[in-house]
Amino acid sequence: MTPDERTARRSRAQRKVAIAAVDDFPPGTRMEVQVGRALIAVFNIGGSFYALFGRCPHQSAPLSRGRLQGTVICNADTCWETRWAHDGEVLVCPGHGMEYDVRSGKAFGYDLKLRTYEVLVEDGQVLLVL
């Protein structure tokens, strides 16, 4: 199968699920969506939508109920000085405090990544792409 055929097959397999009207999902809000057997946490951060697998892999805590905050970073980009970063983009597991980047699903400090889902806005609706 050629790369173009794989892309076409993937495109056909995708489905869009309407989860809310944009007006009902303002910045700073979140939603827990059950699609089939999957629980998905959807966030509106500053008008941008992000969706991740909704259960923490550690003890299955519902991530849509975790708080959003920032985190302290210290790396070569900050000249090894501590700096507050990612304000409002770090999801903290309500079960045990593991931190995830909402934009990418990556855990801070661990080699772990949650599945992420594409979110679209079409005709005034927020759509989850599966």
Side-chain angles (χ1 to χ4, degrees), residues 119-130:
V119 183
L120 302 173
V121 175
E122 292 178 356
D123 300 323
Q125 292 290 310
V126 179
L127 306 172
L128 193 57
V129 180
L130 303 173

Side-chain angles (χ1 to χ4, degrees), residues 15 17 19 31-42 51-56 60 62-64 115-117 128-130:
R15 69 180 169 125
V17 177
I19 58 172
M31 243 178 230
E32 188 175 88
V33 180
Q34 185 82 37
V35 181
R37 295 186 321 192
L39 184 66
I40 302 170
V42 186
L52 342 139
F53 181 72
R55 295 258 179 220
C56 183
S60 297
L63 292 173
S64 65
R115 180 176 178 182
T116 59
Y117 300 86
L128 193 57
V129 180
L130 303 173

Side-chain angles (χ1 to χ4, degrees), residues 37-108:
R37 295 186 321 192
L39 184 66
I40 302 170
V42 186
F43 300 86
N44 181 342
I45 299 174
S48 296
F49 294 94
Y50 303 94
L52 342 139
F53 181 72
R55 295 258 179 220
C56 183
H58 179 239
Q59 292 180 339
S60 297
L63 292 173
S64 65
R65 299 179 195 156
R67 74 179 180 277
L68 289 172
Q69 63 180 33
T71 193
V72 174
I73 60 170
C74 179
N75 57 32
D77 293 336
T78 66
C79 296
W80 302 105
E81 294 182 16
T82 56
R83 197 173 290 163
W84 186 252
H86 308 291
D87 197 32
E89 299 173 352
V90 177
L91 175 61
V92 181
C93 172
H96 67 289
M98 182 174 271
E99 297 178 340
Y100 298 95
D101 183 333
V102 170
R103 297 168 298 145
S104 67
K106 286 185 177 180
F108 286 91

